[in-house]
Amino acid sequence: EPPLGEMLARAGRRAQREAEHLEAVALLERARAHLRDDAELCVSHAVSLRALERFAEATSAARRAAELAPTREDVQHLLGELCEKNRD
C-alpha cells in the first residue's frame, strides 16, 4: 500500500482533472504536509488555488515549486503569472 502522502496526492490530482478544485486544494494541501520536497505537487496545488482565485496562496505554492525546481521554465512562468495576479 502506498504511503498516505502519495495517496492524497493522487486523489488531489484526480479531483483537479475533474475540475473539483476545492476538493483538490484540500487533498493536495494534506499531501504536501507529507511530501514537502515534491515540486510537481506544489505546482498542482498552485494550479488549483489559482482556479479558485486564491492568488496569494497559489503564489506561495508556486514559489516553493520554484525553490525545488529552479530550472523548470513552466514553474517560473506560473510563478510570474501569479505574482502579476497578486498586484491586481
Side-chain angles (χ1 to χ4, degrees), residues 35-50:
L35 303 169
R36 298 183 187 278
D37 296 329
D38 186 325
E40 193 58 40
L41 182 57
C42 294
V43 169
S44 294
H45 193 209
V47 167
S48 278
L49 286 163
R50 178 183 63 187

Side-chain angles (χ1 to χ4, degrees), residues 23-75:
E23 180 181 355
V25 163
L27 290 164
L28 295 168
E29 185 173 319
R30 289 177 57 205
R32 285 186 61 199
H34 296 275
L35 303 169
R36 298 183 187 278
D37 296 329
D38 186 325
E40 193 58 40
L41 182 57
C42 294
V43 169
S44 294
H45 193 209
V47 167
S48 278
L49 286 163
R50 178 183 63 187
L52 297 173
E53 298 185 0
R54 291 166 54 179
F55 300 122
E57 293 168 89
T59 302
S60 178
R63 191 168 280 123
R64 178 64 177 146
E67 290 170 3
L68 295 168
T71 60
R72 281 187 51 183
E73 290 181 26
D74 62 321
V75 174

Side-chain angles (χ1 to χ4, degrees), residues 50 55 59 74-88:
R50 178 183 63 187
F55 300 122
T59 302
D74 62 321
V75 174
Q76 298 301 325
H77 178 78
L78 176 62
L79 180 56
E81 175 189 322
L82 289 166
C83 286
E84 286 293 318
K85 293 277 190 191
N86 276 322
R87 291 188 192 130
D88 292 344

